[in-house]
Amino acid sequence: MYHSSALPFTLLSSFTADLANGANQTALTELSTTPNSWDCSEYGLDVNDIDLPFLAYLTSPDYSSSDSDICNLTDSTGVSETLPQFTDLLATVTTHRKNLEQQVLPDKTSPHTSVCEETSIQETKSSPVTPKHHSRRGTKGNRTNQSVHLWEFVRDLLLSPHKNQDAVRWENRKEGTFRVVKSDMFAQLWGEQKKNKCMNYEKLSRALRHYYKSGILERVDGRLTYKFGKKAHGWREDSPKQLT
DNA sequence: GTAGACTTTCCTGGTT
DNA sequence: CAACCAGGAAAGTCTA
């Protein structure tokens, strides 16, 4: 019922801490039997809190751990500009869930096969009509698990050490500089996020470099070192919701 | 249907 | 020599 990877970071950090201390466990258990009826103030959350629908959903019988993609909605940039009402967001979640069922369920019925796996590679190699790069492109699949942007993924890794596995760490938190400590691990974590077994640091770093142009990241001296740019948000210590 | 954003993948050349 | 950096190019998916 309580699937840690499905939770938005802001809730994840606070609730996992509480759960680790044994706090709120009873309350969460009770919540699971009375979906969406709990008192948000008990957790210090506002009724318009962006995370509420997700927690309500996650604590409802409708939720299954395989729906972890649902958390991606909270990671969209600019989502906090105007917070919709709880019911509206809940409707959004419901709609998103239906979309997930339509888009993801077919994949659930058959084993996941990566285009990087040998069989696919061999097939594409042997096919004369295969378009250029077909064997290595088009791996994004459905977007349900893609809504998390790379920079947001990196940010959340930095902000949640328990998921980090020491792959990246802050170099200077105030300046927003961070360093990739274990490039292989870093790429592996991103690959797991994207369900892409072919991810490596070369590709990951290329994706990061794309952010220079958009201002999400800034160039800094030093190998394996990056810096959040003006367009990146939610990484500062003084951003209470990790969103601005 | 289309454009733009985002990401992946490959490549070449340079640097550490 | 390996690992990393920089950036062009192309292509796929998703969203508006």
Side-chain angles (χ1 to χ4, degrees):
Chain A
M1 174 61 72
Y2 191 79
H3 193 249
S4 61
S5 66
L7 286 173
F9 171 77
T10 50
L11 278 177
L12 180 67
S13 56
S14 61
F15 274 85
T16 50
D18 287 342
L19 288 173
N21 296 328
N24 285 338
Q25 181 63 67
T26 303
L28 280 172
T29 303
E30 292 172 354
L31 288 169
S32 67
T33 60
T34 55
N36 310 338
S37 62
W38 47 282
D39 181 8
C40 59
S41 62
E42 183 179 347
Y43 301 95
L45 301 172
D46 184 82
V47 69
N48 286 323
D49 193 294
I50 190 73
D51 292 321
L52 283 183
F54 297 93
L55 186 58
Y57 175 75
L58 292 169
T59 55
S60 76
D62 290 333
Y63 171 73
S64 68
S65 60
S66 62
D67 290 335
S68 60
D69 297 332
I70 203 75
C71 68
N72 291 340
L73 282 177
T74 58
D75 293 325
S76 301
T77 56
V79 70
S80 62
E81 285 296 317
T82 54
L83 293 177
Q85 293 298 311
F86 176 86
T87 51
D88 292 335
L89 270 174
L90 199 56
T92 303
V93 170
T94 303
T95 302
H96 187 63
R97 179 186 169 81
K98 289 178 180 176
N99 291 336
L100 281 174
E101 289 174 350
Q102 292 176 354
Q103 298 172 14
V104 176
L105 281 181
D107 291 337
K108 290 180 179 177
T109 60
S110 60
H112 173 71
T113 54
S114 167
V115 293
C116 297
E117 291 172 2
E118 285 187 10
T119 52
S120 297
I121 293 173
Q122 288 169 353
E123 284 175 7
T124 52
K125 277 181 178 177
S126 60
S127 172
V129 295
T130 300
K132 186 183 179 184
H133 301 317
H134 177 79
S135 63
R136 63 177 190 270
R137 288 175 179 162
T139 58
K140 288 191 67 180
N142 66 66
R143 190 72 174 176
T144 57
N145 198 36
Q146 315 295 333
S147 297
V148 175
H149 294 165
L150 173 57
W151 72 269
E152 293 171 323
F153 172 77
V154 176
R155 177 197 64 192
D156 287 353
L157 271 186
L158 287 163
L159 295 177
S160 50
H162 61 281
K163 289 193 291 185
N164 195 325
Q165 300 184 54
D166 206 28
V168 289
R169 68 167 60 142
W170 288 111
E171 190 80 348
N172 187 323
R173 175 70 188 271
K174 287 188 175 181
E175 293 181 357
T177 57
F178 58 92
R179 188 161 56 90
V180 176
V181 181
K182 299 175 182 176
S183 58
D184 290 342
M185 175 67 72
F186 187 34
Q188 183 184 329
L189 289 171
W190 179 237
E192 288 174 1
Q193 171 73 27
K194 303 298 289 288
K195 295 180 172 59
N196 181 355
K197 295 178 181 177
C198 302
M199 184 51 61
N200 56 32
Y201 183 70
E202 281 290 306
K203 299 170 188 173
L204 175 53
S205 62
R206 181 69 191 100
L208 288 173
R209 289 196 297 273
H210 274 302
Y211 287 137
Y212 293 152
K213 208 169 185 176
S214 59
I216 291 172
L217 293 181
E218 295 177 7
R219 291 182 185 82
V220 292
D221 292 334
R223 303 185 108 195
L224 300 170
T225 306
Y226 301 87
K227 179 182 180 180
F228 286 116
K230 295 177 180 177
K231 296 287 182 64
H233 57 74
W235 56 269
R236 295 178 191 279
E237 287 175 302
D238 57 357
S239 54
K241 294 290 298 173
Q242 318 305 331
L243 295 169
T244 57

